[in-house]
Amino acid sequence: MQRCKFLAPTPIRVIWRFLAPTPFWVIWGFLAPTPVVVNEVLYDPVGSDRGSEFVEIMNTTHEEICLDGWRLETGNGAYEDRWRTEWEGSPSDTLAPGGFFVIGEANVVPPPDVICDLDLQNGPDACRIVGPDGQMDVIGWGDHEFACYFEGEPATCAPSGSSLARDPDGVDTDCNGDDFVVLRCPTPARYNHPPLDLFLKKACLSRYSSPTSANLDLVCLISNTGLRPFGGGSRIVASGEAFVVSSFVETDIEPGCDMHFVNRFPNPGSGLHLVTVWIENADDLNHHNDSLTTTFVVEPPPLVINEILFCPSGKDCEWIELYCRDEVDLTFWTLEDSHGKPIAISRDHLQLARGDYLVLVEDEEIFKTKHPDVATNKILRPAGGWLSLNDTNNALEFADRVIIRDTFGTAIDSIAYAQEWTECGCSIERIDPDSHSTLASNWSPHYGQGTGSPGEPNSVSIFSFERLGFLKLNPRVISPNGDGKDDVLAIRIDLPQLCDVELRVYDLRGIHVATLLRDASIEAGRTTFWDGRDSDGNAVRSGVYLVVLRAKGRRDGKAYGAKLPVVVIRR
C-alpha cells in the first residue's frame, strides 16, 4: 500500500529531481561554483540570543579544503556595505569533501568546530563567507534596501528558534529566496535535506488486530524524505517485551512518498505494551529519524473511563472517574475531548495500583462539598485545566468524546457519549470494565442515591450472569430503597442474531407494569436495568413480577422469547 505526497515544486527542487541520480560532486560543482557556501544560519534562538547562534558552512567539492584565510562576516542591513569579521580560519581548520563546518556559540549542540561569539541580528541582516582569493557566498534575510546583503532576493525571515537552511544542501543558484527554507528544528553539522533519508513516521497496532488472535500486526509508516528513490533492501525491526521481529523493504520508495509495512508478532496479552521500531540501512544519511519508541494497547486496557457526570445540576460540577485494572503510572498522561486539545492529568509522579479509582474533577471544592465521602487522595483536578464537557448532541449524534492518552500519545481508552444516555444531574456508569467502552450497551444511567458513585464501584457494575438462555437476571431478589444494595435488577439479553426486541415487566395477574425496551435493535448482547418502578415512575409493591422478552430476527423472522421471575421486597 502506497500513498504519495510530493514536496512543493519550487524551481530548484524541480531541477534537483532531474539531477538526483547524478553523483553529488558533479551536481554541487555545477550548481555551487563557490567551493564553500553558507549552508545554515540560526540567528534568533529561543529566549536570549546569546549562546546558541551558529553559521554552518559546507564544502561543495570532492576535495578537502583548508580554511586558512577564510572569513565569516556579518552585515548590518541598516547601513550600506557595513561588514564585521566574526571569525577567520587558521591552518588547522579543514573542511572535508561534502562536509560541514560549524562556527557557533558555546551552547550549540553538538559542539561547533569553532566556538566564538556571533553578532547575528533579526532582519534585515546578512552574513557571508569570504575566501582568501575573493570567493564569496552571501545570505541575507528580511526587507533589505542594499543589494550587497543578498543574492537574487533575500531569504524569508525565520521565526524564533528556527533556522534558515539550504534545500538541497550545498546547491547555490545565486538566489537566497529560492535556495533557503525555514527549518523548525535546526540541524547543525547535519544535512538539512539529506539526499538519502528514510523517515519512520509512525508505528501503531493495526485496527484489524483482534485481542484474541495469536498474532498481532504492527503497521509502520515510512517516508522517503530524501531527494532520490531510496530504501530498497532496508530492514524494519520491531522489538517488544518478549519479541523481536523484522520485515524488509523490497523496492525503492520515491522521494516524497510514504509506504506502509507490517511486522507480525506474537500477542503479548491484554494491557499496555512498549515497542521500539527502527530502520536499518547503512546508506541512510540521517539516522536521527530512523527509530521511535511507542506503546500499543491489547484490550482490555490497564485503565478505563468508568463513570462520567457531563451534565451536573445544582451545586455539583463535571467529573470523570477512572478505574485502574492494572498498575499504571499516570505521570504526563493526558485527557482530551472532541476538540482534540490534550490536557495534562498530572505533571508530578502519579502511580495507581490495581483496583484504584481516580476522579478527575472540574472544581475540587465543589466536588468535595457535594461528595464528602470520597477520599481526598481519589480526587484530582487535572494539572492542565478542565475540558468543559458538552451535554447536547452534535451533527454526528453524540454529545462529546473523552479520550485518555499515555505519554506516547497512545489512546488508552475512549468513549463518545450521547445526551440521551442519562438525565441532567445523573452520571453515566460503565457496566463492565472488561468490555468495550465504545459500546453504548456497556453504559447505563446511575441507579441509587445521589448523582453518581464516584470513587467506588458503580451501581450497575456488580452483576454476573449464568451463561444460559436468552434472558438472565441478577439478582433474583431486589430491595430498591436507595441503600446501594440490591437496588436494581440487571437484565442480560443474549440473542443469536440481530433482532427487534421488546422487554416488559408484568405482575402475576398478567397486568403490564413497565416497558423496559420497545422496538430496540439488539445484536449479540445487551444489558439493561429495572429499578422497581412502573411506567409512570411509581415504586411497585412488594411481590413477584415477571420479566418477559419477545424478539424477532431481522434475518429470517425467527421468534425468540423468555420469561423469568423477580422478587421485589420493600423494607
Side-chain angles (χ1 to χ4, degrees):
M1 181 165 52
Q2 178 171 325
R3 175 173 58 84
C4 291
K5 183 178 180 182
F6 286 100
L7 300 169
T10 59
I12 186 58
R13 293 196 182 98
V14 173
I15 295 171
W16 187 262
R17 192 172 297 158
F18 286 105
L19 293 175
T22 309
F24 301 151
W25 317 122
V26 176
I27 298 170
W28 281 325
F30 174 71
L31 292 178
T34 304
V36 178
V37 296
V38 177
N39 203 57
E40 186 177 6
V41 180
L42 176 63
Y43 60 82
D44 186 18
V46 174
S48 172
D49 285 356
R50 310 313 303 171
S52 299
E53 296 178 357
F54 72 83
V55 176
E56 174 192 84
I57 59 177
M58 181 178 182
N59 181 350
T60 64
T61 75
H62 63 282
E63 296 179 350
E64 183 177 88
I65 295 176
C66 177
L67 295 175
D68 185 25
W70 287 78
R71 304 187 311 278
L72 174 68
E73 300 178 344
T74 55
N76 186 340
Y79 305 94
E80 185 174 7
D81 204 23
R82 182 173 292 187
W83 295 93
R84 170 182 169 178
T85 299
E86 302 284 344
W87 165 83
E88 184 168 350
S90 68
S92 62
D93 296 321
T94 58
L95 189 48
F100 306 106
F101 189 93
V102 179
I103 304 156
E105 297 180 319
N107 295 336
V108 175
V109 178
D113 297 278
V114 172
I115 296 178
C116 66
D117 291 333
L118 298 176
D119 188 26
L120 300 170
Q121 302 295 327
N122 298 342
D125 214 38
C127 71
R128 68 184 183 185
I129 188 76
V130 183
D133 298 329
Q135 308 103 310
M136 183 186 307
D137 183 54
V138 181
I139 171 180
W141 52 91
D143 187 13
H144 276 283
E145 179 181 356
F146 306 110
C148 60
Y149 292 121
F150 58 89
E151 296 176 1
E153 63 181 43
T156 302
C157 283
S160 181
S162 298
S163 66
L164 289 175
R166 282 193 190 273
D167 185 11
D169 294 81
V171 175
D172 185 6
T173 66
D174 291 330
C175 180
N176 296 158
D178 288 342
D179 293 345
F180 284 84
V181 297
V182 173
L183 279 189
R184 184 173 60 86
C185 297
T187 59
R190 305 198 310 269
Y191 283 100
N192 306 324
H193 193 165
L196 303 177
D197 184 24
L198 295 181
F199 172 29
L200 180 57
K201 279 187 172 180
K202 185 178 181 181
C204 63
L205 199 65
S206 168
R207 69 180 68 181
Y208 303 110
S209 291
S210 168
T212 59
S213 298
N215 296 300
L216 303 177
D217 289 337
L218 187 73
V219 180
C220 303
L221 179 62
I222 295 179
S223 177
N224 181 356
T225 56
L227 299 166
R228 306 199 308 176
F230 182 56
S234 300
R235 184 169 177 242
I236 306 167
V237 185
S239 176
E241 298 148 359
F243 65 86
V244 177
V245 295
S246 64
S247 60
F248 286 89
V249 180
E250 296 182 358
T251 61
D252 284 342
I253 305 172
E254 292 296 318
C257 287
D258 297 337
M259 274 192 179
H260 292 86
F261 300 89
V262 174
N263 277 354
R264 180 159 291 178
F265 60 95
N267 189 339
S270 64
L272 182 63
H273 303 278
L274 191 74
V275 61
T276 299
V277 187
W278 66 91
I279 303 171
E280 292 183 352
N281 189 310
D283 295 326
D284 194 309
L285 295 173
N286 177 23
H287 293 295
H288 291 81
N289 57 3
D290 290 352
S291 64
L292 61 81
T293 298
T294 187
T295 52
F296 62 90
V297 175
V298 180
E299 293 190 351
L303 184 84
V304 297
I305 301 167
N306 203 49
E307 188 175 4
I308 302 175
L309 181 66
F310 60 83
C311 184
S313 62
K315 296 181 179 180
D316 207 343
C317 64
E318 295 177 349
W319 48 266
I320 299 169
E321 179 194 75
L322 307 179
Y323 172 67
C324 198
R325 296 184 63 262
D326 203 352
E327 182 176 327
V328 293
D329 182 356
L330 289 183
T331 311
F332 296 115
W333 284 34
T334 60
L335 178 72
E336 66 183 66
D337 59 10
S338 296
H339 293 98
K341 181 181 178 181
I343 291 174
I345 295 175
S346 176
R347 297 188 179 97
D348 300 321
H349 180 67
L350 178 60
Q351 189 83 24
L352 294 185
R354 183 183 179 92
D356 280 353
Y357 294 89
L358 179 66
V359 187
L360 306 177
V361 301
E362 178 185 15
D363 188 296
E364 285 194 30
E365 294 305 318
I366 292 177
F367 181 86
K368 289 176 181 178
T369 301
K370 185 70 176 180
H371 306 277
D373 294 334
V374 180
T376 301
N377 62 353
K378 295 183 179 180
I379 305 169
L380 178 69
R381 175 173 167 82
W386 191 246
L387 301 172
S388 185
L389 301 172
N390 294 326
D391 54 20
T392 55
N393 287 356
N394 56 30
L396 299 177
E397 298 185 349
F398 68 89
D400 212 337
R401 186 187 308 273
V402 178
I403 305 173
I404 298 289
R405 296 187 187 274
D406 69 3
T407 53
F408 294 93
T410 300
I412 304 301
D413 198 27
S414 66
I415 170 182
Y417 62 82
Q419 67 182 74
E420 60 269 19
W421 287 15
T422 189
E423 298 177 350
C424 196
C426 180
S427 72
I428 55 172
E429 296 182 332
R430 191 177 187 135
I431 298 170
D432 183 0
D434 291 342
S435 185
H436 292 287
S437 62
T438 54
L439 297 176
S441 59
N442 197 32
W443 292 86
S444 167
H446 167 74
Y447 288 90
Q449 295 179 332
T451 60
S453 54
E456 60 186 29
N458 291 340
S459 65
V460 299
S461 67
I462 58 176
F463 304 101
S464 61
F465 303 92
E466 297 179 1
R467 297 293 180 183
L468 297 172
F470 304 130
L471 186 67
K472 300 103 176 174
L473 306 181
N474 193 321
R476 291 298 184 92
V477 178
I478 63 172
S479 54
N481 58 3
D483 64 355
K485 183 179 180 181
D486 298 333
D487 283 335
V488 294
L489 171 69
I491 306 166
R492 177 70 180 181
I493 301 169
D494 285 298
L495 296 165
Q497 62 170 302
L498 177 64
C499 293
D500 294 322
V501 174
E502 285 193 353
L503 187 66
R504 299 175 184 267
V505 178
Y506 296 87
D507 64 19
L508 292 181
R509 296 171 296 171
I511 296 176
H512 173 255
V513 175
T515 298
L516 306 181
L517 295 172
R518 177 186 291 128
D519 296 329
S521 295
I522 295 178
E523 184 173 13
R526 171 82 174 268
T527 301
T528 190
F529 302 90
W530 183 47
D531 60 357
R533 297 181 181 274
D534 62 21
S535 294
D536 295 324
N538 300 313
V540 302
R541 297 178 179 179
S542 296
V544 180
Y545 295 83
L546 297 176
V547 179
V548 179
L549 167 71
R550 295 187 179 92
K552 184 176 182 180
R554 287 273 189 91
R555 184 179 66 245
D556 53 16
K558 185 175 181 180
Y560 303 91
K563 179 169 59 177
L564 291 174
V566 60
V567 178
V568 177
I569 298 177
R570 296 290 177 185
R571 293 175 176 146

